[in-house]
Amino acid sequence: MATPKILVLGAGYGGLMTVKGLTKSLGASDAEITLVNQNPYHYFTTELHKPAAGTAHHDHARVNIASVINTNRVNFVEDRVVSINPSEKKVYLENNTFDYDHLVIGLGSAPETFGIKGLLENAFFIRNIDSVRMIREHMEYMFARYKNDPKEEYLTIVVGGAGFTGIEYVGELVDRLPELCREYDLPQEKLRIVNIEAAPTVLPGFDQALVDYAVEYLKGKGVEFYLGVPIEECTKDGVVLKGGEEIKSSTVVWTGGVRGNKIVEESGIETMRGRVKVDENLRAPGHDNIYVLGDSSLVIPKDGERPYPPTAQISTQQGQYLGKHLPQLMRGESVHAFQYAPKGTVASLGNRVAIGVVGSKKLFGGSASFMKKIIDLRWLFLLGGISLVLRKGKL
């Protein structure tokens, strides 16, 4: 009997946890495991707001994949996925084609633009290592230009979206911009950080006392909030809000939401806004050999109507579940349903301040910031053990 082929697409939080688990739950001759990723590194999506603002080097937000997986057991392929053909059980890459018996899709997300005109063409996105490098370099170039050509839009940063990524990025900017003012001899009073959110509140769904704390802290640092005001258009000169107000800015960064990956949408697998509503074992509907996790998946609680938000935390747990239970599912055995167990949520507001909920306890300021750093260290430990914590960890 041929050795079953397991193909894992994407080395994000879910994909890496899946292959790390499979190397423990499967014997060396039980299956061929192949992991495909576009880059030779895994990047920490929860850390990208820091290099985007310039408060950390982008190398702090990534780790070499070969250093955290067992390359004797996992065939790692650095290539870009082009298409998935479930009927043929094939995945087409830019430079290769792979057959599979069991497919795990963890290809991440794409920006959700909500049809805003000009957004894809004129805004920056906190998406990956390359995109945050571009944001930082562009922002600093605009600051450098101001001395010779003092246009206010060079010193105006518009952040679209006040969810997690938006607020954490704004928090990093609050820490970074005073340093840049000194570096480029700029008048700090001319700087503007404008955070625009279509919903009536920042961090929708978060505890109101924590939201109030975050808004007051950031306002105290000079951040301007436009809440309940959608962006209608993004141009090369800035943004136009509903009602016609224009905010001139040379640096517009969009953090206002994600949708599933287009490759999954085009594969013929049933999706909702590009995401797959998976069953209790994380299978795609109508495909008992295809599993979907991370931002490409939709997991709806038994007692709820709204899906869990796509976070690193749920992706990690999905990967741990598949890493442990995929061998049983391959054999046709019954396995308990995936159950997401939230460990708490913490949003940083710069390096020393944060807000969060852990269990039933609300955390503010320094104690929340310390908890955020502990959560980050936990992921490093899960990924690469104590050696990775010592290499990459920061308290």
Side-chain angles (χ1 to χ4, degrees):
M1 188 176 169
T3 305
K5 296 175 181 176
I6 302 172
L7 183 58
V8 180
L9 306 180
Y13 294 88
L16 280 180
M17 283 295 102
T18 299
V19 297
K20 287 180 75 68
L22 288 174
T23 56
K24 294 173 184 172
S25 60
L26 286 169
S29 59
D30 290 341
E32 289 178 24
I33 306 168
T34 300
L35 172 65
V36 177
N37 197 64
Q38 186 170 343
N39 300 302
Y41 53 81
H42 159 83
Y43 56 84
F44 315 132
T45 54
T46 57
E47 294 289 292
L48 288 177
H49 56 285
K50 294 178 182 178
T55 52
H57 192 274
H58 55 263
D59 279 343
H60 287 295
R62 64 179 173 182
V63 62
N64 188 277
I65 291 166
S67 72
V68 295
I69 62 172
N70 183 346
T71 51
N72 294 320
R73 296 284 309 281
V74 179
N75 173 33
F76 173 56
V77 177
E78 185 187 336
D79 206 343
R80 192 177 73 85
V81 178
V82 175
S83 64
I84 300 166
N85 190 323
S87 59
E88 293 181 358
K89 294 187 182 178
K90 286 183 186 294
V91 171
Y92 296 90
L93 312 179
E94 270 187 353
N95 305 301
N96 222 321
T97 302
F98 279 91
D99 302 313
Y100 65 82
D101 296 300
H102 301 274
L103 180 65
V104 179
I105 302 172
L107 287 174
S109 59
E112 176 59 272
T113 63
F114 301 103
I116 297 170
K117 187 179 174 186
L119 200 61
L120 284 173
E121 296 80 7
N122 298 305
F124 292 92
F125 299 85
I126 297 178
R127 299 287 309 143
N128 51 43
I129 294 293
D130 291 334
S131 73
V132 298
R133 234 179 336 213
M134 286 172 62
I135 293 170
R136 188 195 73 243
E137 289 172 3
H138 173 82
M139 176 180 72
E140 293 187 13
Y141 176 54
M142 292 300 109
F143 282 24
R145 289 181 69 179
Y146 182 82
K147 290 297 281 186
N148 291 325
D149 185 12
K151 293 179 179 175
E152 290 189 1
E153 54 261 41
Y154 292 160
L155 303 187
T156 301
I157 300 170
V158 169
V159 180
F164 246 71
T165 303
I167 287 296
E168 290 198 315
Y169 176 53
V170 166
E172 295 300 316
L173 287 175
V174 158
D175 281 359
R176 177 68 173 141
L177 293 192
E179 295 174 11
L180 287 179
C181 283
R182 290 190 292 273
E183 186 176 335
Y184 290 100
D185 302 316
L186 298 173
Q188 193 165 332
E189 68 275 8
K190 294 283 189 182
L191 284 179
R192 289 183 74 194
I193 304 172
V194 183
N195 193 193
I196 302 168
E197 170 59 55
T201 177
V202 311
L203 297 167
F206 225 61
D207 178 89
Q208 191 58 47
L210 296 171
V211 168
D212 291 344
Y213 178 93
V215 170
E216 288 309 308
Y217 171 77
L218 294 172
K219 276 185 175 177
K221 297 289 185 177
V223 178
E224 302 170 43
F225 287 97
Y226 284 70
L227 303 178
V229 186
I231 294 173
E232 288 208 327
E233 185 178 358
C234 180
T235 71
K236 60 181 175 52
D237 300 316
V239 294
V240 180
L241 308 182
K242 187 175 182 181
E245 182 180 352
E246 183 179 1
I247 300 174
K248 287 190 174 296
S249 168
S250 297
T251 308
V252 177
V253 180
W254 177 253
T255 69
V258 297
R259 57 176 291 117
N261 195 293
K262 194 177 178 186
I263 292 166
V264 182
E265 220 167 349
E266 293 173 346
S267 70
I269 298 170
E270 185 184 327
T271 61
M272 297 165 65
R273 278 178 61 201
R275 298 172 68 195
V276 180
K277 185 180 175 183
V278 293
D279 72 7
E280 61 178 15
N281 299 131
L282 306 181
R283 286 187 175 108
H287 300 275
D288 63 2
N289 66 334
I290 298 178
Y291 303 82
V292 188
L293 37 68
D295 292 352
S296 296
S297 71
L298 273 177
V299 178
I300 298 176
K302 280 200 171 83
D303 56 351
E305 295 177 8
R306 293 178 63 83
Y308 290 115
T311 62
Q313 192 177 160
I314 192 169
S315 300
T316 300
Q317 291 185 27
Q318 288 174 318
Q320 290 171 321
Y321 174 87
L322 275 186
K324 184 176 181 180
H325 297 297
L326 184 55
Q328 296 156 272
L329 293 165
M330 286 164 57
R331 293 192 294 267
E333 299 170 14
S334 63
V335 173
H336 71 82
F338 170 75
Q339 195 155 7
Y340 175 48
K343 307 289 187 198
T345 309
V346 183
S348 64
L349 306 172
N351 187 43
R352 295 183 180 84
V353 180
I355 54 169
V357 179
V358 177
S360 59
K361 189 173 175 59
K362 298 177 192 176
L363 300 174
F364 301 83
S367 59
S369 181
F370 181 75
M371 181 57 68
K372 172 80 172 173
K373 292 176 173 72
I374 294 296
I375 291 167
D376 293 341
L377 292 178
R378 180 177 180 271
W379 168 244
L380 292 176
F381 181 76
L382 285 173
L383 189 59
I386 195 68
S387 65
L388 187 60
V389 171
L390 293 172
R391 273 197 349 257
K392 293 281 185 182
K394 278 186 173 182
L395 266 179

